[in-house]
Amino acid sequence: MAELQRIATEKMRCFADIQSCMTAASQPSKNSSADAHLRNLLNEIMRKNQLNGQIISALQRFNQGAWEIFFGVQPATYSGLGTAKSSAERHLIGSA
């Protein structure tokens, strides 16, 4: 979680840098070095987003594994897309 916080802070720094570049020049820069700097910042943000996704996926797998160890494999209440499964497909705790 600390790693996610550090990456988020770095992304916010990039966004702030982009914002300051855009407000300094009210229109897109004609300067190729300024354009290259903006592209580098955007690429850095994309890399940070990918790293965030990898960390979150690892945490999700860890949590799923812990859930299965503690509670056994149970039918999911939600599908992989986050939609609720029909009641015939799921089991409510305490139901017969």
Side-chain angles (χ1 to χ4, degrees), residues 9 18 20 22 27 34 38 41 46 56 69-71 78 93:
T9 301
I18 288 171
S20 67
M22 297 308 285
Q27 58 184 346
L38 286 175
L41 288 170
M46 286 186 343
I56 290 169
I69 289 169
F70 289 125
F71 301 106
Y78 296 96
I93 297 175

Side-chain angles (χ1 to χ4, degrees), residues 60-76:
Q60 183 179 19
R61 287 189 308 272
F62 173 80
N63 288 337
Q64 181 65 36
W67 181 268
E68 290 172 4
I69 289 169
F70 289 125
F71 301 106
V73 178
Q74 301 209 3

Side-chain angles (χ1 to χ4, degrees), residues 9-25 33-34 36-42 44-45:
T9 301
E10 290 174 5
K11 281 183 8 183
M12 293 308 294
R13 179 193 51 79
C14 291
F15 283 123
D17 198 3
I18 288 171
Q19 184 65 35
S20 67
C21 288
M22 297 308 285
T23 54
S33 68
H37 178 66
L38 286 175
R39 274 193 304 276
N40 288 339
L41 288 170
L42 292 171
E44 184 176 343
I45 290 169

